[in-house]
């Protein structure tokens, strides 16, 4: 069954090519298409295009389908092109001519738009919740290990003293930037496109304010052409925010992979969170974090792929836009799984407390030692050259334990302020 069926059908190859993965991907969107169909039916009843009895019948049957979807029993068989055709078929099967009226004043275009944007509102909120959970875990670890020293690196060369508290809270605060982007993307999605139909509105006297309120949108996309042009743009905006989270998470995963290696040996995990080798019995591989790193790296490509897909498309709907679902929906699910695994695994991270006892890390203190000379009255440039000479001739003697007191430094992590900052970022803007 196809919503555009006029009595003839394409051949099998055309059908397979044009439908693509829609049936599988639509299972993630069915819940939202049903929500929109329910609101649309109520609106049709409000403006008199459905009788009170017809409206009640449609709402009842849609509610029953929502229960089926929630229980995981909703399927889209090969005989149906997508979720829209399956839903309309089921309503017609139950209600006859009343079921055939559900598509009045709608197009499959605005059906996809509204379902996708409702999905993205929830998905971005879910990701933000997971980011907040990871943030809380990182801040707890920063508090617990704030005084445990850790080498700081630039160019992967030993640089200056750091700490696990500084390292954990650095990633925590970085996630706040990602929350800003998630919230911006959610606002772009939070505009009701329903009623734009095929992109040029309808001659029916529909009430778009009603469906906007019924579906919980903050506002509507008023211009119907603009609503249709949102297809592709809303996905790309969401993907940009998801990629930002992935970039932070991927960098953390890379640090952990590095720090787990025997050459560093800074952190470890219980055996249940590592994997082994088929021939090397000593191996404890960081596969969880390698996969997080790999998946997050791939997520960086999604905004660019969506950009390539939609660049130079003129206004109006084009079938190219169907492919946005193939890129975006798996990206959401992949990122959510990465966040879950990172949060779970970091709950059992083990940090080494004696790292800086190794003399090879003495050069971490060259800047602190230089700064002490400056505090004693030696001009900075002279102190720098003297320190370089001492390092070169082997006479360097580090001063350890220098105070780092300014905001955000080794001795003043400002964890409470970082926590407040995240709380404000996650607060409802309304």
């Amino acid at each position: 069954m196809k919503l555009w069926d006029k009595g003839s059908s394409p051949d099998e190859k055309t059908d397979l090519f044009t439908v693509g993965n829609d049936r599988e991907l639509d299972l993630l969107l069915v819940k939202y298409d049903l929500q929109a169909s329910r609101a649309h039916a109520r609106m049709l009843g409000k403006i008199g295009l459905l009788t009170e009895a017809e409206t009640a019948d449609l709402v009842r049957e849609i509610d029953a389908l929502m229960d089926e979807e929630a229980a995981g029993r909703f399927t889209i068989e090969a005989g149906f092109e997508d979720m829209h055709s399956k839903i309309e078929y089921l309503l017609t099967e139950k209600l006859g001519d009343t079921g055939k009226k559900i598509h009045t004043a709608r197009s499959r275009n605005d059906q996809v738009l509204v379902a996708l944007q409702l999905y993205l509102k929830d998905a971005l909120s879910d990701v933000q919740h997971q980011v907040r959970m990871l943030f809380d875990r990182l801040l707890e670890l920063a508090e617990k290990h704030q005084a445990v020293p850790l080498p700081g690196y630039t160019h992967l060369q030993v640089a200056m003293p750091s700490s696990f508290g500084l390292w954990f809270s650095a990633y925590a605060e970085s996630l706040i930037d990602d929350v800003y982007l998630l919230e911006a993307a959610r606002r772009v999605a939070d505009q009701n496109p329903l009623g734009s139909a095929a992109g040029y509105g309808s001659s029916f006297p529909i009430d778009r304010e009603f469906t906007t309120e019924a579906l919980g949108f903050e506002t509507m996309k008023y211009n119907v052409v603009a609503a249709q042009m949102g297809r592709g743009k809303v996905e790309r905006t969401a993907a940009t925010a998801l990629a930002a989270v992935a970039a932070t998470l991927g960098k953390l995963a890379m640090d952990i992979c590095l720090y787990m290696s025997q050459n560093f040996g800074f952190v470890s995990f219980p055996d249940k969170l590592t994997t082994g080798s088929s021939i090397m019995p000593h191996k404890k591989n960081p596969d969880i974090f390698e996969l997080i790193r790999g998946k997050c790296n791939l997520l960086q490509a999604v905004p660019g792929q969506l950009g390539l897909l939609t660049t130079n498309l003129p206004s109006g709907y084009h079938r190219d836009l169907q492919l946005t679902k193939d890129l975006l929906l798996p990206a959401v699910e992949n990122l959510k799984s990465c966040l879950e695994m990172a949060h779970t695994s970091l709950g059992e991270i083990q940090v080494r407390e004696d790292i800086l006892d190794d003399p090879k890390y003495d050069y971490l203190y060259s800047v602190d030692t230089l700064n002490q000379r400056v505090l004693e009255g030696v001009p900075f440039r002279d102190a720098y050259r003297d320190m370089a000479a001492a390092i070169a001739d082997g006479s360097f003697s580090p001063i350890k334990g220098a105070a780092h007191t300014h905001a955000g430094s080794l001795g003043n992590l400002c964890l409470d302020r970082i926590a407040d900052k995240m709380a404000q970022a996650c607060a409802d803007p309304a």
Side-chain angles (χ1 to χ4, degrees):
M1 179 181 173
K2 297 175 175 61
L3 297 182
W4 50 269
D5 190 349
K6 298 184 287 289
S8 61
S9 299
D11 62 35
E12 184 178 358
K13 286 184 178 180
T14 300
D15 185 62
L16 290 172
F17 186 75
T18 56
V19 171
N21 296 323
D22 259 19
R23 297 184 190 98
E24 293 81 2
L25 295 172
D26 276 1
L27 290 174
L28 294 170
L29 301 176
V30 168
K31 168 184 174 181
Y32 304 100
D33 195 48
L34 288 167
Q35 288 176 8
S37 293
R38 190 180 193 277
H40 186 70
R42 291 174 59 210
M43 184 275 294
L44 292 177
K46 177 178 180 292
I47 65 173
L49 288 178
L50 292 175
T51 66
E52 186 174 331
E54 288 173 330
T55 303
D57 287 344
L58 279 168
V59 168
R60 182 188 68 249
E61 294 303 326
I62 290 170
D63 285 346
L65 291 176
M66 291 177 75
D67 291 340
E68 288 288 303
E69 189 280 331
R73 294 193 294 267
F74 191 97
T75 59
I76 306 173
E77 296 83 0
F80 298 94
E81 187 173 24
D82 51 31
M83 60 184 171
H84 317 296
S85 54
K86 177 65 182 286
I87 291 168
E88 185 171 322
Y89 170 83
L90 292 173
L91 293 176
T92 302
E93 185 180 50
K94 285 284 187 180
L95 301 173
D97 286 347
T98 298
K100 297 176 183 178
K101 296 181 180 182
I102 189 62
H103 201 62
T104 305
R106 280 200 304 184
S107 166
R108 188 165 62 164
N109 294 344
D110 64 342
Q111 280 187 263
V112 175
L113 274 166
V114 71
L116 188 62
Q117 288 180 223
L118 287 169
Y119 164 82
L120 283 174
K121 283 180 61 180
D122 276 1
L124 291 167
S125 294
D126 289 345
V127 169
Q128 181 172 315
H129 175 69
Q130 288 186 279
V131 167
R132 180 64 187 270
M133 289 178 62
L134 180 59
F135 170 89
D136 289 343
R137 173 139 291 167
L138 288 166
L139 224 55
E140 289 168 5
L141 289 167
E143 178 73 34
K144 180 179 179 181
H145 302 293
Q146 62 179 305
V148 179
L150 179 71
Y153 293 85
T154 63
H155 306 274
L156 271 183
Q157 306 292 305
V158 168
M160 292 180 67
S162 182
S163 70
F164 279 101
L166 200 60
W167 181 63
F168 284 124
S169 59
Y171 280 104
E173 190 167 8
S174 292
L175 288 171
I176 299 174
D177 299 334
D178 304 330
V179 167
Y180 292 149
L181 288 173
L182 288 169
E183 178 57 27
R186 192 195 64 79
R187 291 188 66 185
V188 172
D190 200 9
Q191 305 175 87
N192 181 23
L194 186 59
S196 59
Y200 300 95
S202 173
S203 59
F204 291 111
I206 59 175
D207 187 343
R208 297 189 65 208
E209 285 80 7
F210 178 89
T211 56
T212 298
E213 182 176 352
L215 290 170
F217 281 105
E218 180 66 25
T219 185
M220 76 169 71
K221 199 78 168 189
Y222 289 97
N223 185 294
V224 291
V225 177
Q228 183 58 64
M229 289 197 299
R231 184 77 193 275
K233 184 175 185 179
V234 68
E235 294 97 318
R236 187 176 183 181
T237 303
T240 299
L242 298 174
V245 176
T248 302
L249 191 55
K251 185 181 287 288
L252 172 62
M254 177 58 205
D255 276 1
I256 290 173
C257 291
L258 200 65
Y259 291 174
M260 280 183 69
S261 76
Q262 289 88 342
N263 298 85
F264 288 78
F266 297 165
V267 301
S268 60
F269 290 87
D271 289 351
K272 66 181 181 180
L273 295 175
T274 64
T275 63
S277 163
S278 62
I279 63 170
M280 294 173 283
H282 67 282
K283 295 297 290 296
K284 287 182 62 174
N285 297 325
D287 283 21
I288 288 175
F289 289 97
E290 288 177 336
L291 287 171
I292 289 174
R293 180 179 61 193
K295 288 173 183 285
C296 287
N297 286 345
L298 290 175
L299 285 169
Q300 302 309 306
V302 178
Q305 287 177 293
L306 287 166
L308 290 170
L309 178 63
T310 57
T311 294
N312 294 333
L313 288 182
S315 61
Y317 176 77
H318 309 276
R319 194 64 181 261
D320 314 49
L321 295 168
Q322 174 184 329
L323 301 178
T324 64
K325 290 192 292 186
D326 293 70
L327 296 169
L328 184 61
L329 272 60
V332 170
E333 300 307 312
N334 277 330
L335 180 58
K336 287 164 71 173
S337 68
C338 287
L339 285 165
E340 180 183 2
M341 290 306 298
H343 176 265
T344 299
S345 301
L346 284 169
E348 301 198 50
I349 193 171
Q350 300 157 354
V351 308
R352 189 174 134 212
E353 299 193 359
D354 63 348
I355 299 169
L356 299 195
D357 291 349
D358 190 323
K360 70 182 177 184
Y361 294 118
D362 283 354
Y363 291 125
L364 288 169
Y365 301 99
S366 67
V367 176
D368 287 348
T369 306
L370 183 157
N371 289 350
Q372 182 58 42
R373 295 289 308 278
V374 173
L375 290 172
E376 293 167 357
V378 179
F380 175 85
R381 187 52 57 202
D382 292 341
Y384 178 89
R385 288 171 178 161
D386 291 345
M387 195 62 55
I391 291 169
D393 66 21
S395 63
F396 169 68
S397 179
I399 295 176
K400 300 182 179 182
H404 291 241
T405 59
H406 68 74
S409 67
L410 189 62
N412 184 8
L413 297 180
C414 298
L415 300 184
D416 55 341
R417 298 185 190 181
I418 293 173
D420 289 343
K421 192 175 172 185
M422 176 59 99
Q424 185 176 357
C426 290
D428 185 349

